[in-house]
Amino acid sequence: GENVEQHPSTLSVQEGDSAVIKCTYSDSASNYFPWYKQELGKRPQLIIDIRSNVGEKKDQRIAVTLNKTAKHFSLHITETQPEDSAVYFCAASFTQRGKLIFGQGTELSVKP
Amino acid sequence: DTGVSQDPRHKITKRGQNVTFRCDPISEHNRLYWYRQTLGQGPEFLTYFQNEAQLEKSRLLSDRFSAERPKGSFSTLEIQRTEQGDSAMYLCASSSGLAGGHTGELFFGEGSRLTVL
């Protein structure tokens, strides 16, 4: 079926450390993998995305890597800051028409 | 504000009543999505539209749920005979379809929170 698994569900790091969140997807035809950040009481917002024709994408302290063979992708946040504390969701597209299925979320806590 | 807007923001209803939520997407976006989110969970796909066409509805979705987008602009999500298990945040999102049918960034609304007593 259409499924996106996300791990870990909670992650606590010290300010300045790196954080890594991993997702696996079920459909080898999936071709779009965005990451959303949701702060408490707010709407999810896109922070980075990657398409299946590239293996890695970086935007300042945030990077995403994709392994199509293994059907998994990861979010890497370096030099974490307290304002990075939020819930992060991965997602993957299913069907050619772009239906997005989300993972269960990772609550990241960055301790000063 | 030119973002995605949802109405009402909060709805409290008694079990068995019908409720309707409205979503106004970003005007130039042709895709519109409905998701449901409960505390501590990721957004759960409900349905999505391209223009006025409903492309897919979740197989897990009860027949009590129906959505429309009659003119390819705003959309409504109706829940009939509400149950306590329907209590959740209902999120709407819109995006512009890209070449080849790919999806662009989803822009979410603030959500409509439903409480069923």
Side-chain angles (χ1 to χ4, degrees), chain B residues 83-96:
Chain B
E83 302 173 356
Q84 288 184 327
D86 297 332
S87 295
M89 178 73 84
Y90 290 84
L91 293 168
C92 175
S94 69
S95 74
S96 54

Side-chain angles (χ1 to χ4, degrees), chain A residues 45-81:
Chain A
Q45 291 191 302
L46 180 74
I47 55 170
I48 195 168
D49 58 10
I50 192 169
R51 296 197 182 269
S52 59
N53 57 345
V54 297
E56 184 174 359
K57 183 177 179 180
K58 190 173 181 180
D59 183 3
Q60 298 182 335
R61 296 186 297 109
I62 295 173
V64 57
T65 58
L66 171 65
N67 183 328
K68 288 172 56 180
T69 303
K71 292 190 287 187
H72 69 69
F73 57 112
S74 301
L75 177 71
H76 305 253
I77 306 174
T78 58
E79 301 171 19
T80 53
Q81 301 168 4

Side-chain angles (χ1 to χ4, degrees), chain B residues 57-75:
Chain B
K57 180 178 175 180
S58 170
R59 292 188 297 271
L60 302 177
L61 205 58
S62 161
D63 289 344
R64 298 182 296 104
F65 287 72
S66 62
E68 294 182 340
R69 194 183 182 197
K71 297 182 180 178
S73 56
F74 73 92
S75 175

Side-chain angles (χ1 to χ4, degrees), chain A residues 1-2 31-32 36 38 40-47 49 51 87 89-90 93-105, chain B residues 1 3-4 9 31 33 35 37 40-45 48 50 55-56 59 91 98 100-110:
Chain A
E2 299 165 339
N31 60 12
Y32 176 61
Y36 283 79
Q38 187 173 30
L40 190 62
K42 297 192 175 180
R43 70 188 86 185
Q45 291 191 302
L46 180 74
I47 55 170
D49 58 10
R51 296 197 182 269
V87 180
F89 296 100
C90 63
S93 65
F94 289 82
T95 78
Q96 286 299 317
R97 293 181 292 189
K99 178 173 75 173
L100 278 182
I101 300 296
F102 284 80
Q104 301 90 332
Chain B
D1 186 353
V4 178
R9 295 289 309 281
R31 288 194 177 169
Y33 299 75
Y35 289 88
Q37 187 175 30
Q41 299 296 314
E44 174 194 1
F45 172 80
Y48 75 133
Q50 178 152 316
L55 298 185
E56 188 171 340
R59 292 188 297 271
L91 293 168
L98 303 178
H102 298 297
T103 292
E105 175 182 355
L106 262 61
F107 291 83
F108 283 88
E110 299 278 10

Side-chain angles (χ1 to χ4, degrees), chain A residues 3-48:
Chain A
N3 194 37
V4 178
E5 295 286 338
Q6 182 172 348
H7 300 279
S9 57
T10 60
L11 180 59
S12 181
V13 300
Q14 289 294 131
E15 183 177 0
D17 287 350
S18 295
V20 180
I21 303 170
K22 298 181 179 182
C23 289
T24 59
Y25 58 98
S26 58
D27 187 354
S28 57
S30 294
N31 60 12
Y32 176 61
F33 308 93
W35 286 88
Y36 283 79
K37 176 182 180 181
Q38 187 173 30
E39 297 177 350
L40 190 62
K42 297 192 175 180
R43 70 188 86 185
Q45 291 191 302
L46 180 74
I47 55 170
I48 195 168

